[in-house]
């Protein structure tokens, strides 16, 4: 078993998928000879040929729409959008077609496609390159939205997404791409696609996060442990559908919940989780649910980016608040 | 039996060949030494800015930067044809056009250094900022054209994009409405033969990108984008048409991206030096300098003075930029709405609490 980064794990999963299923095709901007701007597809065009790993013309509407057509006609497209900031022309295809084809045709035509896109901030990228738009996508009925937080989870979840019979938007936290190394076994084993992952068990509070925020949440959990506060750390992993059960049972145990996301506060997924807990776990709650999120601002350009990003300090403050409440 | 209509590719507009020899009689404006020197100086300044920007990026003092190396004639040719009333809608590689329009070197450094204030131009206040989402500026240009018509203004909207941009719906759809409504708009395609790693021929089978104007019912033409005189002449013609109520034009400027796509790119992954080197003999500065030397007594001292001047200006601007402190953190809340909503004021307060 080798130690690898998330970008290497993604490449390993793509390669495995190309090996195991001749219907898998990869396309997107610069995914061919260049290997993708983050190198997720590095070497794949050379290895599998230009017919299975294709550079498209510059058109996100075409990338997503072709994925719909190809998927409905028997392929397993794994398409790439270079950055979520450029995904918007693809929303038409996702919201009006990918997510509805099964429902409209009562199961006759389906859409087993994956749309991968790097998302999120923290790497001082130019404007339109750092947004977190998972809530917008999770709001679309019929789509799956999956976000890995580590190399091993990227490998397992991407394989699950590719094998899934329905459309999956697979958002990759670009800040994590090269930041963490961990052992990843290229064994072709997928992770369950609709389950949250309990990364750490504790008694005092529940921390829910996903993507790059897991790194900050874990750091907060470490510091809390030194103070004698133990938390359940939950990686949501599948944002749509949400594994509500795992979160509820954790909060029934701890009585306190802090939700962390990089996306803006208003109408973010934290609101959905908080509402679910208010509806189902009211009697277990010892303190108000807290959200630590990005602000309702445009993602700042690099010089002020750090002020936008939720960090360990803000997470710690929220956990201390709920601990002090009761 | 009718034969296949032979859709001739019209001639490419060019006045100076790569060696700087005139191949046609030069247009009026270019008979004036001063006008030529002004354009040449603007191109040299652009290239000097470029080199400085790259070196700042390499040393961690600027963000990701898109070089315009080899494409200076397009930016300068377009901007020099425009008047104050016109509106520029650039993509992200037209530093030379922005500078000509009055955007300052300090503002360009600020923008590329990751500071929104670089978009708050002291001059050229009606011009649009850099547009990163490819091709999304073209519909804006149609909208500016509409506003110009409604307000009965004399200006023309000029949008610039790359060869890759012509594959997007935004481009075709905007081109179509410009044709349908006869809007005073000029679309310029800076065809540098590459969209990151994708070569022009993989982008489209269209014989020329100018051909894309056919379906919109507006004129399209190709220009030697390394000949600043040709770019300016063609842009002037298109602007005149637009001002005379004759509608839009699509101009394809042929050039070559001599550098990496941006500082985040490594072009050696997808193209060889042998692909690039022949294009160095066609780049725009060499040919205008040769012409100036041959016809206007441009001397070694003139060149040296100009280079020193550009370097001094740019060093000074870079120092000013580097000495400019970031905005206060609260600035992230201050420009979302005309009136800051209560909700945002509360969030701004929370930021201070941590
Ligand atoms: C809609 C959109 N998709 C993808 C990108 C990422 N990207 C930035 S520039 C570029 C290539 C643009 O090529 P071209 O239009 O030829 O302009 P050039 O960079 O050559 O000047 C790509 C794919 C983007 N900025 N916007
Ligand atoms: Mg190009």
């Amino acid at each position: 078993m080798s130690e690898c980064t998330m970008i290497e794990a993604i490449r390993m999963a793509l390669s495995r998928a190309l090996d195991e299923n001749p219907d898998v095709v990869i396309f997107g901007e610069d995914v061919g000879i260049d290997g993708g701007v983050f190198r997720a597809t590095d070497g794949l065009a050379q290895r599998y040929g230009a017919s299975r790993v294709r550079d498209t013309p510059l058109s996100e509407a075409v990338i997503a729409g072709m994925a719909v057509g190809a998927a409905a006609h028997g392929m397993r497209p794994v398409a790439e959008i270079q950055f979520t900031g450029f995904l918007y022309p693809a929303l038409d295809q996702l919201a009006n077609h990918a997510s509805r084809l099964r429902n409209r045709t009562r199961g006759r035509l389906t859409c087993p496609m994956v749309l991968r896109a790097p998302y999120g901030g923290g790497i001082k990228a130019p404007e339109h390159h750092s947004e977190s738009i998972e809530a917008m996508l999770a709001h679309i009925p019929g789509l799956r939205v999956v976000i890995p937080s580590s190399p091993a989870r990227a490998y397992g979840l991407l394989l699950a997404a590719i094998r899934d019979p329905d459309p999956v938007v697979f958002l990759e936290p670009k800040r994590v791409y090269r930041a963490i190394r961990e052992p990843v076994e290229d064994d072709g084993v997928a992770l369950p696609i609709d389950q949250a992952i309990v990364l750490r068990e504790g008694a005092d509070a529940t921390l829910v996060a996903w993507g790059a925020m897991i790194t900050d949440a874990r750091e907060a959990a470490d510091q809390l442990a030194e103070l004698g506060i133990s938390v359940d750390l939950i990686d949501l992993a599948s944002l749509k559908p949400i594994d509500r059960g795992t979160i509820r049972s954790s909060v029934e145990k701890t009585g306190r919940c802090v939700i962390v996301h990089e996306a803006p506060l208003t109408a973010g997924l934290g609101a959905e989780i908080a509402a679910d807990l208010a509806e189902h776990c009211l009697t277990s709650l010892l303190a108000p649910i807290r959200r630590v999120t990005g602000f309702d601002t445009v993602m700042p350009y690099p010089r002020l980016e750090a002020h936008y990003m939720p960090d360990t300090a803000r997470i710690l403050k929220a956990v201390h608040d709920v601990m002090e409440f009761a | 039996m009718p034969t296949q209509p032979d859709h001739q590719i019209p001639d490419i507009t060019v006045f100076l060949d790569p060696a700087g020899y005139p191949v046609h009689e030069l247009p009026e404006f270019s008979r004036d030494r001063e006008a030529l020197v002004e354009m040449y100086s603007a191109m040299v300044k652009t290239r000097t800015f470029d080199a400085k920007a790259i070196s700042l990026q390499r040393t961690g003092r600027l963000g990701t930067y898109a070089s315009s190396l080899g494409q200076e004639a397009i930016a300068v040719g377009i901007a020099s044809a425009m008047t104050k009333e016109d509106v520029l809608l650039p993509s992200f590689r037209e530093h030379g056009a922005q500078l000509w329009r009055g955007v300052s070197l300090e503002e360009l450094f600020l923008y590329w250094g990751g500071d929104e204030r670089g978009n708050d131009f002291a001059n050229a206040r009606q011009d649009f900022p850099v547009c990163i989402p490819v091709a999304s500026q073209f519909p804006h240009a149609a909208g500016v054209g509409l506003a110009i018509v409604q307000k009965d203004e004399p200006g023309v909207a000029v949008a610039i994009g790359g060869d890759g941009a012509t594959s997007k719906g935004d481009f075709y759809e905007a081109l179509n409405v410009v044709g349908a409504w006869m809007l005073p708009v000029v679309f310029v395609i800076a065809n540098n033969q590459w969209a990151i790693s994708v070569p022009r021929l993989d982008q489209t089978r269209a014989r020329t990108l100018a051909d894309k104007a056919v379906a919109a019912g507006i004129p399209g033409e190709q220009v030697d984008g390394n000949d600043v005189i040709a770019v300016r002449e063609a842009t002037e013609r298109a602007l005149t048409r637009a001002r005379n109520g004759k509608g839009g034009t699509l101009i394809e400027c042929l050039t070559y991206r001599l550098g990496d796509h941006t500082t985040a790119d490594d072009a050696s992954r997808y193209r060889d030096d042998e692909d690039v080197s022949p294009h160095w003999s066609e780049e725009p500065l060499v040919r205008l300098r040769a012409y100036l030397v041959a016809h206007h007594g441009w001397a070694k001292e003139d060149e040296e003075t100009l280079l020193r001047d550009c370097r001094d200006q740019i060093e000074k601007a870079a120092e000013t930029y580097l000495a400019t402190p970031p905005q206060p953190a609260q600035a992230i809340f201050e420009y979302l709405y005309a009136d800051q909503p209560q909700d945002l004021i509360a969030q701004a307060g929370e930021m201070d609490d941590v």
Side-chain angles (χ1 to χ4, degrees):
Chain A
M1 200 184 314
S2 59
E3 292 246 319
C4 69
T5 60
M6 179 179 281
I7 203 79
E8 289 162 349
I10 286 166
R11 191 184 312 138
M12 216 150 75
L14 291 172
S15 183
R16 164 76 58 166
L18 285 160
D19 278 331
E20 73 183 14
N21 186 346
D23 293 332
V24 170
V25 282
I26 289 175
F27 51 81
E29 292 158 13
D30 308 288
V31 301
I33 184 168
D34 195 30
V37 293
F38 287 103
R39 311 290 176 245
T41 54
D42 192 14
L44 298 183
Q46 289 85 341
R47 183 151 153 221
Y48 295 94
S51 64
R52 295 192 70 197
V53 184
R54 289 173 179 261
D55 281 331
T56 61
L58 204 168
S59 168
E60 285 73 14
V62 157
I63 292 168
M66 270 203 322
V68 171
H73 203 70
M75 302 298 290
R76 290 267 167 172
V78 184
E80 178 180 302
I81 299 288
Q82 211 160 71
F83 290 89
T84 47
F86 313 128
L87 183 141
Y88 303 106
L91 269 181
D92 183 21
Q93 294 295 337
L94 291 175
N96 284 328
H97 296 292
S99 58
R100 293 174 182 235
L101 203 52
R102 177 187 295 283
N103 185 65
R104 286 173 64 214
T105 63
R106 287 296 178 252
R108 179 175 61 83
L109 293 176
T110 60
C111 199
M113 63 178 268
V114 176
L115 200 65
R116 300 178 35 247
Y119 88 102
I123 62 160
K124 291 189 176 288
E127 55 177 337
H128 309 288
H129 288 73
S130 299
E131 286 72 12
S132 296
I133 62 166
E134 66 268 24
M136 196 185 296
L137 294 158
H139 204 69
I140 298 172
L143 271 194
R144 286 183 182 279
V145 181
V146 174
I147 296 183
S149 65
S150 80
R153 289 187 284 281
Y155 177 84
L157 288 169
L158 183 53
L159 278 181
I162 296 170
R163 292 173 192 161
D164 192 84
D166 289 306
V168 182
V169 178
F170 193 81
L171 298 175
E172 301 165 3
K174 64 175 89 70
R175 176 153 74 98
V176 184
Y177 268 160
R178 291 183 166 77
I180 312 175
R181 287 189 161 273
E182 71 179 6
V184 182
E185 177 115 53
D186 188 9
D187 53 7
V189 175
L191 283 169
I193 199 169
D194 46 9
Q195 278 177 32
I197 303 162
V198 181
L199 294 177
R200 179 181 301 203
E201 292 199 51
D204 302 313
T206 300
L207 266 180
V208 184
W210 50 90
M213 284 297 118
I214 288 291
T215 311
D216 303 81
R218 191 196 296 277
E219 170 65 29
D222 286 344
Q223 293 190 27
L224 290 165
E226 282 172 25
L227 302 173
I229 299 168
S230 72
V231 298
D232 264 7
L233 176 57
I234 298 178
D235 177 357
L236 195 58
S238 288
L239 281 72
K240 181 72 172 287
I242 292 182
D243 176 5
R244 297 169 193 274
T246 297
I247 304 172
R248 286 179 202 161
S249 22
S250 169
V251 173
E252 277 157 14
K253 175 182 70 177
T254 64
R256 301 179 186 88
C257 185
V258 173
I259 307 149
V260 186
H261 59 68
E262 202 178 308
L265 175 80
T266 301
L269 277 167
E272 176 59 36
I273 295 167
D276 185 80
L277 292 173
E279 283 177 355
H280 296 276
C281 304
L282 188 64
T283 53
S284 309
L285 285 171
L286 301 170
I289 300 158
R290 286 290 307 273
R291 287 173 290 166
V292 178
T293 71
F295 298 108
D296 285 338
T297 67
V298 173
M299 188 76 189
Y301 288 12
R303 274 185 149 192
L304 295 185
E305 180 181 8
H307 296 293
Y308 172 94
M309 301 288 285
D311 58 10
T312 307
R314 286 179 60 200
I315 298 170
L316 285 172
K317 181 169 187 301
V319 175
H320 287 309
D321 282 354
V322 297
M323 292 305 297
E324 279 158 25
F325 189 89
Chain B
M1 213 175 87
T3 53
Q4 188 81 5
D6 189 13
H7 179 181
Q8 286 280 326
I9 299 179
D11 288 342
I12 296 172
T13 301
V14 56
F15 293 98
L16 293 184
D17 78 0
Y21 290 113
V23 291
H24 292 292
E25 196 188 328
L26 298 196
E28 187 68 37
F29 67 82
S30 53
R31 296 196 196 122
D32 174 29
R33 182 188 197 266
E34 222 174 291
L36 291 182
V37 169
E38 198 186 0
M39 289 193 283
Y40 179 66
S41 306
M43 294 199 293
V44 170
K45 184 170 166 184
T46 305
R47 189 167 291 187
T48 315
F49 170 77
D50 228 87
K52 182 68 187 177
I54 290 173
S55 93
L56 287 175
Q57 192 281 334
R58 296 277 184 247
T59 49
R61 293 177 292 170
L62 200 82
T64 303
Y65 175 74
S67 155
S68 71
L69 183 66
Q71 301 181 211
E72 297 88 348
I74 297 176
V76 170
I78 293 166
S80 61
M82 293 172 68
T83 65
K84 269 204 153 58
E85 294 78 49
D86 299 330
V87 179
L88 179 73
L89 299 99
S91 63
F92 43 80
R93 224 183 273 288
E94 290 80 33
H95 322 300
Q98 293 187 292
L99 288 170
W100 186 288
R101 302 274 301 160
V103 176
S104 71
L105 290 161
E106 290 83 354
E107 286 163 348
L108 289 188
F109 278 131
L110 273 177
Y111 173 77
W112 292 97
D115 190 317
E116 291 84 349
R117 289 172 297 182
N119 288 331
D120 184 14
F121 311 144
N123 300 305
R125 292 196 61 84
Q126 80 280 29
D127 283 1
F128 278 46
V130 156
C131 182
I132 300 286
V134 165
S136 56
Q137 71 274 28
F138 291 112
H140 306 160
V144 170
L146 171 66
I148 286 170
V149 168
Q150 299 292 104
K151 291 152 72 104
D152 199 20
E153 288 179 356
V156 177
V158 180
I160 312 174
D163 42 304
T166 68
S167 295
K168 271 194 90 212
D170 316 38
F171 168 76
Y172 288 105
E173 295 172 34
L175 199 66
N176 183 63
V177 75
V178 165
W181 290 5
M182 299 262 289
L183 295 171
V185 175
V186 178
F187 283 179
V188 182
I189 297 305
N191 175 4
N192 63 8
Q193 315 299 336
W194 294 91
I196 308 186
S197 70
V198 179
R200 151 70 176 87
L201 276 177
D202 289 347
Q203 197 65 239
T204 172
R205 290 289 131 156
R207 275 195 291 182
T208 74
L209 302 180
D211 273 0
K212 296 196 176 197
V214 172
I218 66 172
E221 66 169 284
Q222 285 188 304
V223 172
D224 185 331
N226 294 334
D227 176 5
V228 69
I229 297 174
V231 175
R232 175 160 168 179
E233 193 272 344
T235 308
E236 279 185 354
R237 272 190 284 112
L239 289 169
T240 305
R241 279 192 73 244
R243 277 191 237 290
N244 291 340
K246 303 238 167 67
T249 305
L250 174 63
I251 301 172
E252 175 188 3
C253 296
L254 296 159
T255 185
Y256 196 86
R257 202 192 76 210
L258 292 171
D260 290 334
H261 169 70
T262 64
T263 50
D265 176 48
D266 171 10
S268 71
R269 294 177 60 87
Y270 51 82
R271 68 181 192 186
D272 297 326
D273 286 345
E274 299 92 83
D275 299 331
V276 182
S277 42
H279 296 280
W280 273 101
S281 64
E282 297 173 349
E283 63 95 353
L285 273 62
V286 167
R287 74 175 73 180
L288 186 55
R289 182 167 55 237
Y291 182 80
L292 282 171
V293 169
H295 298 268
H296 291 290
W298 185 254
K300 203 160 156 256
E301 303 82 73
D302 294 323
E303 181 75 13
E304 279 165 6
T305 312
L306 171 63
L307 284 175
R308 198 173 333 109
D309 228 55
C310 288
R311 240 177 270 135
D312 288 351
Q313 278 184 55
I314 282 156
E315 285 303 324
K316 208 167 134 254
E319 276 167 31
T320 309
Y321 151 67
L322 291 170
T324 307
Q327 304 163 89
Q330 289 290 333
I332 73 173
F333 297 100
E334 283 166 11
Y335 298 90
L336 284 124
Y337 305 96
D339 296 316
Q340 202 169 2
Q342 212 43 57
D343 202 7
L344 268 188
I345 294 171
Q347 291 185 30
E350 270 168 49
M351 181 167 79
D352 278 345
D353 285 351
V354 181

